[in-house]
Amino acid sequence: MEMLTLECPYCGVQADETELHAGGEAHLTRFGPGSSDADFEAYLFMRENPKGVHFERWRHVNGCGKWFHAARCTMTLEVFGTYPAQTAEPPKKIRDAITAKRPGWTWRELS
Amino acid sequence: MSDPVLPLGGAHYEGLADVRETGPQGMIALRGDLSDAGLQEAVTGLTGVPMPDMRGAQVMGESGLLWMSPDELLVLVPYRQAARARAQLAEALQGQHALVENVSDMRAMFRLRGTQVRDVLAKLAPVDFARDALPVGELRRTRFAQVAAGVWLSDDTTAQVFCFRSVAEYMFNLLRTAADPDAFVGFHTG
Ligand SMILES: [Zn+2]
């Protein structure tokens, strides 16, 4: 059975999937009170479902407790990198690592 | 002061490893800026051990410092001193964004001893327990089967495990099962 292992960027542990809590898609922009119905609906319900490069939020729940980000391939489970939660988009280092392995990748407005 | 009562009354099992419930152990949860010089001085002065690095377990007897996360330490002190130690730390950290709480009675602790300790632990957690992956003096927070746990090796044949008091019996039964003499593995020896 294939298991996913992610390195927690806060405590450096190679965390097994079962020590983590999946937090869904990364880098969503929150639309709240005062936003348009379309923006609010997209924020609540519209998610990427790629076969390939994906960006996600994870929490090291059976561990240091911190939320972080991961970039991985949904098809092969290859992990391109993990990075802290305090960023609105993947850092250049992560994007470069993906480009090296998946030239021409796109995800939402990123490439 | 009332007498502390261990969750399992000092349960003991001898198998592949010698499994013993230990404590009571004074434990203070501390959250704050671990890079702050005043905080470091307060915790090292209180415990007499050096400030731990990332994932470090600096423990001497009943005193010590466990690195729990980038902004959290578990401060170990003798059980009877926990209330006073908490007050001392709170005083030292006044004015800082910090949290100090005595969690001694929230926890259960177990000590595993023997040459098979790494094999016994490896049956219960999704962790690489090889010597180079989890060296002596490094804390690993993880899960043991279905419950959260912390574990570190204080020497090559001694492991310290702690968990929430409410799951003490579950944890002891896990450890006892994993240490059953009929379940010898022999992977981590040598
Ligand atoms: Zn972590």
Side-chain angles (χ1 to χ4, degrees), chain B residues 29-153:
Chain B
L30 188 158
R31 300 197 82 134
D33 177 2
L34 302 190
S35 67
D36 180 78
L39 182 149
Q40 293 191 4
E41 203 179 293
V43 294
T44 55
L46 182 74
T47 56
V49 300
M51 189 71 184
D53 295 326
M54 183 190 279
R55 300 193 305 278
Q58 293 281 356
V59 182
M60 219 169 54
E62 289 180 85
S63 298
L65 297 170
L66 306 179
W67 190 98
M68 301 288 277
S69 90
D71 57 4
E72 182 178 357
L73 290 176
L74 191 61
V75 181
L76 305 181
V77 294
Y79 182 85
R80 294 286 184 196
Q81 295 170 23
R84 202 176 50 143
R86 191 213 67 82
Q88 244 174 287
L89 286 178
E91 169 87 28
L93 296 173
Q94 230 166 37
Q96 281 199 43
H97 184 64
L99 177 148
V100 187
E101 195 50 83
N102 181 358
V103 295
S104 309
D105 296 321
M106 275 172 56
R107 302 286 162 80
M109 280 196 87
F110 301 92
R111 188 191 63 210
L112 280 68
R113 262 196 182 142
T115 56
Q116 305 303 306
V117 153
R118 288 180 187 271
D119 276 352
V120 170
L121 296 171
K123 293 175 190 174
L124 300 172
V127 172
D128 185 352
F129 279 103
R131 257 189 205 87
D132 53 345
L134 189 74
V136 167
E138 180 171 317
L139 177 73
R140 181 64 147 85
R141 297 180 70 183
T142 180
R143 63 177 178 88
F144 275 28
Q146 303 290 320
V147 297
V151 57
W152 79 96
L153 275 91

Side-chain angles (χ1 to χ4, degrees), chain A residues 7-13 15 20 60-61 63-66 68, chain B residues 67-70:
Chain A
E7 181 177 323
C8 173
Y10 293 97
C11 70
V13 154
L20 301 168
H60 193 188
V61 60
C64 73
K66 301 299 182 193
F68 62 91
Chain B
W67 190 98
M68 301 288 277
S69 90

